[in-house]
Amino acid sequence: MSGHSEARMTPDNVMAAAKSRRLDGLVMLEHLPQIFPGEPASAWYSRKNDRLHLDALYSAIGDSGGVKVVKGVEIDPDPVKLDGSLMLDDFSTIDFPVFATHVLPGGKTFWFSAMPMPAPVAEQVLEEYLTMLKKALSQGQVKAWAHPGATIAKAALLKDFSRESIEPLEEVFAIMSERGVAFELNELLAKKLEPPYITSYPQLVDAARAWGIRFVVGSDAHSPENVGVYKWVEAVAWEACLTREDFLDVVELAGDTSRPCASS
C-alpha cells in the first residue's frame, strides 16, 4: 500500500484478496515518508517522522478473517544526513519495519527518476550509497531489505548483478547476516529491472544465501489483484536453488519444492 497505489488498495480489499489467495498471513505496510506521483524529493523529505498515515492504516485494519496481519513500514535511510539514521524515530506499534532506498544520496533524486551517470560520478554515488546502506543496516532496527538492487540497477551503479560485479555488496551482506536482516524477493522488481540486471539477479540472491541470509517474499502489490502474486519470485527462487529452509516462513513455491542443485 502506498500514496501511489490504486484507490481500491484499502485494508478491506487487501484482506479480501489475501483470503481469496488463501494466504495464511501478510505484512500490511506503507512507505514512510509517503511517495506521491510527480512530487519533488524535497517534499518527500519534508515529511520525515510523519506517521499519521501509518497509524490511520493500522486503525483501518478490520476483521482479518483468520489471516494473520503483521503491521509493517517501508522506511528509508536519511539521504541527506547519510549517517545511517532512518526517516522515522518512533517505531512503536510497528512489528516488521523493512528497509528500502527511494532517494539517492544527497536527497534530490528519486531512484525511479535516476539516469545513468558518467563513471566518476557513478563511483562516488555508489560509495555514498553503500556507506548509507551499511550504516543504516547496522542500526539493528529493520527486519528486511526491500526490493534489493532496484536503485543500483536504475542508476547503473554496477554493470550487472554477476558475482564479480556485486563484490562491493559483500560488506552489506556481512552486516545483514550479523544483524539477521532478511532479503526480500520482490515480485514488482520483474517490471522494474531490465537486462542485464534481471537476467543476473539470481546471482545476487545466491550471494546473499552464501552469507546465510534468510529470505522473505513480497508481492509489492499496488492493486488488490496483485496481492499474493509471486510468479517471478518463484522463478528466481528456483534458479537460485532456494529451499523452504532459506525463508523466514514456509513459502509455498509452485510445483515440487525440491531444487535441481539443492545440494550445492
Side-chain angles (χ1 to χ4, degrees):
M1 305 183 72
S2 71
H4 52 279
S5 292
E6 291 186 12
R8 297 180 298 117
M9 201 65 173
T10 64
D12 286 345
N13 287 342
V14 170
M15 295 310 307
K19 284 184 279 189
S20 71
R21 295 273 181 190
R22 298 184 178 181
L23 300 182
D24 293 327
L26 56 79
V27 179
M28 192 173 295
L29 53 75
E30 166 62 295
H31 297 82
L32 200 151
Q34 280 183 294
I35 301 172
F36 295 102
E39 72 170 3
S42 58
W44 170 88
Y45 188 80
S46 71
R47 293 192 295 275
K48 181 176 181 178
N49 281 316
D50 182 354
R51 55 170 290 172
L52 292 178
H53 65 292
L54 196 65
D55 295 326
L57 170 64
Y58 296 160
S59 297
I61 298 174
D63 181 14
S64 65
V67 178
K68 181 179 180 181
V69 179
V70 177
K71 298 175 182 178
V73 64
E74 187 171 333
I75 184 77
D76 275 65
D78 190 315
V80 175
K81 291 185 176 180
L82 299 178
D83 59 357
S85 60
L86 301 175
M87 292 292 286
L88 178 67
D89 296 327
D90 179 13
F91 282 80
S92 61
T93 73
I94 299 173
D95 301 315
F96 199 82
V98 302
F99 168 84
T101 54
H102 294 91
V103 177
L104 294 178
K108 297 181 180 180
T109 307
F110 284 111
W111 74 267
F112 44 79
S113 302
M115 301 294 290
M117 313 166 195
V121 176
E123 290 174 4
Q124 179 181 349
V125 172
L126 177 62
E127 182 178 355
E128 293 174 346
Y129 177 75
L130 292 177
T131 298
M132 182 173 68
L133 278 185
K134 290 182 285 188
K135 287 182 177 180
L137 291 168
S138 296
Q139 299 291 336
Q141 293 175 297
V142 297
K143 304 293 187 182
W145 182 12
H147 47 75
T151 300
I152 291 173
K154 182 62 177 178
L157 299 181
L158 297 173
K159 69 176 185 178
D160 56 28
F161 292 130
S162 65
R163 293 301 289 264
E164 180 181 3
S165 296
I166 62 176
E167 186 174 346
L169 289 173
E170 291 294 319
E171 291 184 33
V172 173
F173 288 153
I175 294 170
M176 291 176 66
S177 178
E178 179 184 355
R179 292 287 186 174
V181 178
F183 183 114
E184 184 204 26
L185 295 178
N186 183 292
E187 182 69 19
L188 198 56
L189 272 184
K191 297 182 178 180
K192 297 176 179 177
L193 298 178
E194 298 179 356
Y197 298 100
I198 192 167
T199 52
S200 57
Y201 201 82
Q203 295 184 59
L204 181 67
V205 173
D206 185 61
R209 186 183 69 158
W211 276 97
I213 294 169
R214 306 287 292 283
F215 297 86
V216 293
V217 297
S219 55
D220 203 349
H222 289 64
S223 64
E225 293 81 9
N226 292 323
V227 171
V229 174
Y230 302 118
K231 294 180 180 179
W232 182 72
V233 164
E234 290 173 357
V236 171
W238 178 276
E239 189 169 347
C241 307
L242 300 184
T243 67
R244 292 188 179 192
E245 289 71 27
D246 291 310
F247 293 86
L248 286 180
D249 295 308
V250 174
V251 177
E252 288 291 338
L253 299 179
D256 187 356
T257 56
S258 63
R259 295 291 175 263
C261 47
S263 61
S264 62

